[in-house]
């Protein structure tokens, strides 16, 4: 399927692959701005994004993505939805009905990974965890199934 538009100069046609490529490039731009260290490759991008033409001559974009560990996932997703909708509509004048996002994981930077490993290795955390489990078991019974 393709999106067609007629104007005073003739007909414009946007193929599904052109719309998908535009969405991919827009996503790539947004993602690299938000998570500069992350690696993206073309094959993965093509699998992550789907474009569907709706009956009312709008399109819907579905996207699987990862978010940056330590930042607001809700803000990231809302900003991504808005960015993709705005970019695709600005470049094609094809209305975007919705942008559906599925969070498929988190991107953890090397620095954050080191911080997590450092925290996990602290004996105080194990003590707190043990105390919490003991308190939970006293109030709710055993945690074993």
């Amino acid at each position: 399927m393709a999106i067609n538009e007629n104007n005073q100069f003739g007909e414009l046609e946007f193929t599904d692959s052109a719309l998908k490529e535009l969405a991919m490039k827009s996503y790539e731009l947004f993602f690299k701005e938000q998570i500069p260290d992350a690696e993206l490759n073309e094959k993965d991008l093509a699998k992550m994004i789907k474009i569907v033409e709706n009956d009312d001559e709008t399109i819907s974009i579905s996207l699987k993505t990862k978010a940056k560990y330590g930042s607001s996932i809700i803000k990231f997703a809302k900003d991504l939805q808005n960015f993709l909708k705005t970019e695709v509509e600005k470049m094609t004048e094809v209305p975007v009905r919705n942008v559906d996002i599925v969070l498929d994981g988190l991107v953890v930077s090397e620095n954050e990974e080191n911080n997590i490993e450092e925290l996990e290795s602290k004996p105080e955390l194990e003590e707190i965890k043990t105390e919490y489990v003991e308190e939970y078991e006293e109030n709710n019974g055993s945690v074993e199934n």
Side-chain angles (χ1 to χ4, degrees):
M1 277 193 279
I3 299 282
N4 295 319
E5 185 177 313
N6 292 312
N7 62 27
Q8 64 191 21
F9 304 111
E11 186 176 315
L12 297 172
E13 184 175 330
F14 298 101
T15 64
D16 291 344
S17 61
L19 290 168
K20 183 173 183 168
E21 190 169 335
L22 176 60
M24 286 170 43
K25 294 297 181 191
S26 298
Y27 168 75
E28 189 174 17
L29 179 68
F30 178 86
F31 194 79
K32 285 187 177 185
E33 185 178 304
Q34 296 292 315
I35 310 172
D37 334 349
E39 295 288 324
L40 294 172
N41 77 42
E42 289 287 322
K43 287 183 182 178
D44 290 342
L45 281 174
K47 293 177 187 175
M48 294 166 48
I49 297 177
K50 291 187 175 37
I51 305 288
V52 176
E53 184 180 344
N54 303 312
D55 294 337
D56 59 354
E57 295 191 17
T58 62
I59 61 170
S60 296
I61 302 170
S62 298
L63 168 71
K64 278 188 180 180
T65 187
K66 295 182 186 303
K68 182 178 180 184
Y69 175 80
S71 63
S72 170
I73 295 170
I74 298 296
K75 181 178 179 344
F76 174 83
K78 285 180 179 178
D79 289 348
L80 177 55
Q81 285 176 316
N82 188 45
F83 186 80
L84 285 176
K85 178 178 175 25
T86 303
E87 287 297 302
V88 171
E89 288 180 344
K90 177 174 65 176
M91 288 189 248
T92 64
E93 295 185 13
V94 174
V96 176
R97 182 193 299 170
N98 56 324
V99 178
D100 298 322
I101 295 177
V102 173
L103 181 66
D104 194 28
L106 297 172
V107 175
V108 181
S109 72
E110 197 171 303
N111 188 28
E112 290 165 334
E113 205 167 292
N114 291 338
N115 290 342
I116 292 170
E117 287 173 4
E118 185 180 311
L119 281 173
E120 287 175 343
S121 67
K122 291 190 176 191
E124 313 88 72
L125 289 178
E126 192 57 40
E127 258 180 54
I128 292 170
K129 180 180 165 188
T130 303
E131 289 173 18
Y132 177 78
V133 169
E134 288 171 356
E135 183 180 322
Y136 181 86
E137 286 176 343
E138 285 176 13
N139 296 327
N140 302 307
S142 176
V143 292
E144 295 178 16
N145 291 338

